[in-house]
Amino acid sequence: MARRSEVETGGAVPAPAAQRRSQRLDQALELVFLLALWQVLSLWLGTYWISSPLATLAGLFRGLASGELLLHASYTAGEAAIGFLVGGIPAAALPFALRRMPVMTAILDPFMVGGYGAPKLALAPLFILWFGIGIESKVALVGVTVFFIVYFSTLSGIRALDTRLVQMAQVMDANEHAVARHIVFPGAVPYIFTGLRIAMPYSIGGAVIAELISANRGLGYLVQLRAMNYDTTGIFVALAATTCIVFLGNWLVNALERFLLRWRPPADAMLQADA
Amino acid sequence: MAAGAILEIRGLAKRFRARAPGAESPWIIRDLSFSVREGELLTIVGPSGAGKTTLLNMIAQTDTASGGEVRFRAQVAPLGDAKALRPGLSRQIGYITQDDNLLPWRTCLGNVLFPLEVQGRLDGQTRARAQSLVEAVGLAGFENHYPHELSGGMRKRTSLIRTLVYDPPVILMDEPFGAVDAQTRALLQADLLRLWGEGRKTIVFVTHDIAEAIALGDRTLVLSRAPASVKSEHLISIPRPRDIGGILTRPEFVTLYQAIRAEVA
Amino acid sequence: MSALEQASLVESAPGMNRRRLLVMAGRIGLAALLVLAWQVAADTAGDLYFPQPLAVARRIAEDTASGALPWNTYVTLRLSVIGFLLGCAAGILVPFLLRLSPRLTGAVEPYIMASVGVPKYALIPLFILWFGIDDAPKLWLIGLLVFYVVFIAVFAGIRNVDARLVTMARVLGASESVISRRVIWKSLTPFFFAALKIALPRAVSAAIIGEFLVGNAGLGFVIENSRQQVDSTGVFTGILVATALVLAINAVLERADRRVNAWRPVDRHMEI
């Protein structure tokens, strides 16, 4: 867990203001450099190979204005969101249901580990075979992918339960139900969110992969369609839109987490406490 | 049963399971007996590792005993079987542990209201009582702060009034002011004495700090090294209300301090 | 909770043994139940959706005997390993290069971190356009996926190296390359292993998905080609073999990690 958060924050150390400002400048310069490089490459190799930044931006606006991009994006986002719920809700609920059944948890363990480790994206053709090329097969793929991630993160949240808090509540005459509701559940929420945060890009990725393989709508389908028509700019536009959805999804999960977990000390303080 | 005793400990014993099969399992506590009068503030000192926390755990019924009994009023607590334990004996025994054990996802006031909520007793009256306790220990204005936003002393105060708010007849305290600086500690001690003076609860206060034991207690028990039992008993005749700061230089204090220190060392 | 824990602590050895037996029996029972459910599904839903378990077993045996299955597995594995090595090399090299210039690191890092959000699999059609239909687009995909995992781990690992250790080594007159090798690489091993455990199975996954979309060999090709021919037995066969392959790799890595990092507490990492 701790390792995960380190990986994500990159162990960021707060820099002094002046240093931060010069860093911002560097970053801005870098952005200009990257855009310029992109433009030069597209001029040099031709837009058949690499679309230019301007053309991509224009395509993005055209797609938005015509509603085409939004339509496909809403399919992809919808598949990811429904799959996220279909997989995530049972995955978060199951460890709570199994809390008092250690034998059952132990029986399930190798199956869950297997499901967690299995290459679920490879199931895409199977789901298409079962559920057709519509939204159902994508939802199934996303749901299966999300399920195992969230199951294990919730389980570790329940296992990390602070027994001292349970004891405190029991001394105060809290019953089993109150302990579950006021101690076990709130304590597991940060872990559930870790799972959701990790699962978010996978859910959109899963939907896109299933669309690439076989679909008649969605951003993955759009990428595939435009690739067949050698419309490089179109591919860039669809990719940009997909990336936007990933960012939007991450932002949503983070915002929800910040709101629900506002009781947590800021990350820096936590790292110090761990050390 | 001794007259006026609310809590009576008789021949209490605890041994842990042997590390290796066949090895002798060590006794932590053996043949420990004492009683606590209604409204008394009893302090217990002992060397570290003497099983003070284990003793309180058994009285609070969060841990089993290997022998002996604990009586609350006339009731005998079922201490033998882990599954029969009744932590806190149905709200009769409050327990303030070394760690404040505040729920990090609840605000200061939310933590204070927690016992009332789980006991189904949260109403206008109890809420008002919680609010007045918050004010009494100087936490007004911090009601909506989360534990990580409070200082160590504030957290200790929150933990203290969280138990006071549901009014258990007996309160056990396990070095509750351990991890704070000396100045805060003196303030917390003064707070405790003031609140105790108003409510006259029965308190069993465990500490390794001899000065604290004398300053707070009506009576101090000294525990022996493991296996722990009661080594001696000292009546503290320093009149109340006591001034925590001024008490340290009183001749009775100095005499008691030296006597107890000789026993603990 | 505490009462329960104590009860299980006190529980005698025969009780523990009985419990272990119960768990084993439960696992076997559940596995049998799953196979039975598959059989029932095959009998009721029909071959199109659920092929007969026996038919799949027979297909695995036949294709193994004919050499087709080993060949396709080899193709997928070979692709995964090459892509993995490429991605790994880049993922290790870039952070060490960045370490030489903190200024460059500050400027580049946010962009690399932001590009993590780009769904890599969606790049396949572009890779096909750029690099043709041979192994190249698949290698780019695998390499890219592996690169990010390794890069993030190594980058974070370098940040976590005790700065005092590095300063000390500098004071003692160690050259930058010695510092890189001795001090940093040593401290990085656990991070690197964590990344490896994530990246290698992911490389195989990526190879299979790449084969769905381009090529004419490999397990991914077997699965997707069977689907297009509505040969559900073939789909199941391919998926079973692919799953077994990835789980076997996981098990080997798990064992190796436990041996190398035996001193670290075991935790199941929250990653695919």
Side-chain angles (χ1 to χ4, degrees):
Chain A
M1 230 47 195
R3 201 164 352 122
R4 171 81 204 170
S5 68
E6 278 160 22
V7 168
E8 270 176 2
T9 55
V13 181
Q19 204 181 325
R20 239 187 347 249
R21 218 172 309 124
S22 82
Q23 206 171 21
R24 288 268 159 72
L25 188 69
D26 281 352
Q27 286 168 8
L29 283 175
E30 162 100 7
L31 183 63
V32 172
F33 172 74
L34 283 176
L35 287 173
L37 186 73
W38 182 7
Q39 182 72 54
V40 168
L41 274 176
S42 76
L43 284 176
W44 181 35
L45 297 168
T47 48
Y48 171 78
W49 295 104
I50 294 184
S51 172
S52 78
L54 275 178
T56 306
L57 201 63
L60 209 53
F61 278 116
R62 238 189 346 268
L64 282 175
S66 73
E68 185 198 20
L69 212 49
L70 276 179
L71 185 73
H72 288 287
S74 68
Y75 283 124
T76 304
E79 289 156 5
I82 297 171
F84 204 68
L85 297 178
V86 165
I89 290 173
L94 191 58
F96 284 101
L98 291 174
R99 194 165 79 85
R100 287 299 187 179
M101 299 184 240
V103 174
M104 196 63 201
T105 311
I107 289 174
L108 284 178
D109 193 57
F111 297 90
M112 291 297 184
V113 171
Y116 181 75
K120 283 157 300 279
L121 294 177
L123 295 177
L126 183 65
F127 288 140
I128 292 169
L129 188 76
W130 280 348
F131 303 115
I133 63 165
I135 183 170
E136 296 88 346
S137 54
K138 282 86 188 172
V139 168
L141 185 65
V142 173
V144 168
T145 311
V146 171
F147 177 85
F148 290 100
I149 300 175
V150 177
Y151 173 81
F152 276 111
S153 59
T154 309
L155 195 66
S156 65
I158 286 180
R159 292 208 169 135
L161 173 68
D162 187 344
T163 49
R164 292 172 309 175
L165 295 184
V166 176
Q167 213 155 64
M168 177 276 294
Q170 282 173 340
V171 167
M172 291 173 175
D173 210 20
N175 58 24
E176 198 43 52
H177 173 77
V179 168
R181 180 173 154 211
H182 292 293
I183 315 262
V184 182
F185 179 67
V189 170
Y191 292 82
I192 298 177
F193 262 101
T194 304
L196 294 182
R197 208 154 9 92
I198 296 169
M200 171 54 75
Y202 286 102
S203 67
I204 293 158
V208 169
I209 288 167
E211 285 167 358
L212 282 174
I213 295 171
S214 184
N216 47 24
R217 54 198 176 199
L219 290 173
Y221 161 75
L222 208 59
V223 171
Q224 194 69 296
L225 179 77
R226 289 172 175 178
M228 279 179 219
N229 295 329
Y230 302 104
D231 172 11
T232 313
T233 302
I235 299 177
F236 272 67
V237 169
L239 284 176
T242 316
T243 308
C244 286
I245 293 186
V246 174
F247 280 121
L248 190 69
N250 285 342
W251 179 82
L252 268 176
V253 170
N254 284 334
L256 195 64
E257 182 177 15
R258 258 200 307 282
F259 173 72
L260 286 176
L261 300 182
R262 58 193 179 285
W263 51 268
R264 276 213 296 194
D268 287 352
M270 244 165 45
L271 279 179
Q272 277 162 11
D274 281 350
Chain B
M1 188 157 182
I6 186 168
L7 197 64
E8 192 149 5
I9 315 316
R10 280 280 156 265
L12 201 61
K14 175 79 181 177
R15 71 196 300 184
F16 286 156
R17 287 207 317 157
R19 288 280 169 94
E24 182 72 14
S25 64
W27 290 94
I28 301 298
I29 292 172
R30 200 167 192 180
D31 199 22
L32 194 152
S33 307
F34 65 91
S35 59
V36 189
R37 285 196 319 279
E38 183 114 38
E40 184 182 23
L41 204 168
L42 176 72
T43 54
I44 299 179
V45 287
S48 57
K52 300 188 292 281
T53 300
T54 311
L55 169 65
L56 289 192
N57 283 345
M58 287 190 289
I59 301 176
Q61 300 250 324
T62 56
D63 199 352
T64 54
S66 313
E69 63 179 34
V70 171
R71 272 169 190 271
F72 173 80
R73 292 202 168 119
Q75 249 175 303
V76 181
L79 277 174
D81 179 9
K83 281 173 186 154
L85 289 179
R86 289 162 54 206
L89 268 180
S90 317
R91 312 173 199 175
Q92 309 267 33
I93 299 178
Y95 189 6
I96 299 170
T97 48
Q98 239 163 332
D99 315 295
D100 52 55
N101 279 341
L102 296 178
L103 300 177
W105 43 85
R106 280 178 169 249
T107 59
C108 166
L109 185 62
N111 267 289
V112 176
L113 295 178
F114 174 73
L116 299 170
E117 219 172 290
V118 295
Q119 293 167 5
R121 295 198 300 155
L122 187 59
D123 56 27
Q125 201 185 342
T126 53
R127 195 182 278 276
R129 178 174 156 74
Q131 188 61 44
S132 72
L133 278 169
V134 164
E135 279 155 24
V137 293
L139 283 171
F142 292 94
E143 291 95 336
N144 294 323
H145 284 56
Y146 286 101
H148 76 89
E149 300 165 324
L150 300 174
S151 70
M154 289 172 163
R155 294 171 62 118
K156 294 284 181 197
R157 290 190 174 92
T158 311
S159 155
L160 179 66
I161 62 174
R162 177 177 61 177
T163 293
L164 290 177
V165 78
Y166 72 98
D167 216 16
V170 175
I171 297 178
L172 312 176
M173 299 189 179
D174 183 12
E175 304 203 18
F177 309 143
V180 292
D181 60 277
Q183 208 174 350
T184 311
R185 191 178 175 124
L187 291 173
L188 288 165
Q189 289 165 347
D191 272 346
L192 175 65
L193 280 186
R194 192 162 40 76
L195 289 165
W196 177 74
E198 286 163 12
R200 283 279 161 176
K201 304 235 134 281
T202 308
I203 292 178
V204 178
F205 190 106
V206 160
T207 177
H208 68 268
D209 178 349
I210 300 169
E212 183 172 62
I214 301 171
L216 296 177
D218 290 323
R219 192 160 56 107
T220 298
L221 299 180
V222 179
L223 296 188
S224 62
R225 282 193 184 284
S229 60
V230 176
K231 196 176 191 180
S232 67
E233 177 185 7
H234 299 266
L235 284 175
I236 318 286
S237 50
I238 302 170
R240 296 185 191 271
R242 294 178 188 167
D243 164 29
I244 291 287
I247 204 171
L248 301 176
T249 51
R250 292 178 70 110
E252 309 100 295
F253 178 89
V254 176
T255 317
L256 272 167
Y257 185 88
Q258 278 160 354
I260 294 175
R261 217 185 76 172
E263 286 168 2
V264 172
Chain C
M1 193 67 197
S2 76
L4 194 86
E5 272 172 5
Q6 273 158 0
S8 67
L9 259 181
V10 176
E11 207 169 12
S12 55
M16 286 310 286
N17 274 337
R18 222 189 55 213
R19 188 171 145 166
R20 204 166 297 151
L21 272 175
L22 198 64
V23 168
M24 274 322 284
R27 285 175 183 173
I28 294 167
L30 185 54
L33 203 69
L34 286 175
V35 175
L36 189 73
W38 179 6
Q39 180 67 56
V40 169
D43 290 341
T44 51
D47 267 355
L48 181 61
Y49 293 102
F50 285 96
Q52 293 285 335
L54 273 179
V56 173
R58 207 175 304 126
R59 177 77 67 90
I60 292 179
E62 282 167 9
D63 286 357
T64 306
S66 79
L69 208 50
W71 166 249
N72 282 316
T73 309
Y74 164 75
V75 167
T76 302
L77 259 184
R78 183 181 144 273
L79 199 66
S80 316
V81 170
I82 298 175
F84 173 80
L85 291 177
L86 291 173
C88 234
I92 295 169
L93 206 62
V94 174
F96 275 92
L97 289 179
L98 284 180
R99 206 177 73 80
L100 299 179
S101 161
R103 191 173 160 194
L104 191 65
T105 307
V108 171
E109 188 210 342
Y111 294 104
I112 295 187
M113 289 305 172
S115 65
V116 172
V118 177
K120 259 68 75 185
Y121 289 107
L123 295 174
I124 302 175
L126 207 55
F127 288 157
I128 295 172
L129 180 77
W130 286 343
F131 309 117
I133 55 166
D134 287 331
D135 284 348
K138 287 176 273 189
L139 287 177
W140 272 92
L141 173 74
I142 300 165
L144 204 59
L145 280 165
V146 171
F147 167 78
Y148 275 100
V149 176
V150 176
F151 172 82
I152 291 174
V154 173
F155 192 75
I158 289 181
R159 280 239 166 122
N160 268 291
V161 171
D162 193 338
R164 277 170 307 176
L165 268 176
V166 175
T167 315
M168 193 191 72
R170 269 201 197 116
V171 168
L172 291 175
S175 68
E176 279 303 311
S177 76
V178 170
I179 291 176
S180 287
R181 256 199 337 268
R182 290 277 171 79
V183 183
I184 297 180
W185 185 243
K186 267 271 154 50
S187 322
L188 272 181
T189 329
F191 284 92
F192 182 68
F193 239 96
L196 193 74
K197 270 166 71 178
I198 300 166
L200 195 52
R202 198 176 287 189
V204 179
S205 267
I208 292 170
I209 287 151
E211 287 161 356
F212 284 167
L213 296 166
V214 58
N216 52 12
L219 291 173
F221 171 76
V222 170
I223 298 171
E224 175 60 10
N225 189 47
S226 306
R227 178 189 75 81
Q228 285 175 9
Q229 294 171 15
V230 204
D231 168 18
S232 62
T233 313
V235 174
F236 266 68
T237 303
I239 287 176
L240 277 180
V241 174
T243 305
L245 183 66
V246 172
L247 290 183
I249 290 173
N250 280 343
V252 170
L253 284 174
E254 187 71 37
R255 182 155 298 181
D257 184 28
R258 222 174 286 160
R259 189 166 296 175
V260 173
N261 294 317
W263 49 276
R264 279 167 54 226
V266 181
D267 68 334
R268 185 161 293 136
H269 208 51
M270 300 286 102
E271 276 282 0
I272 274 203

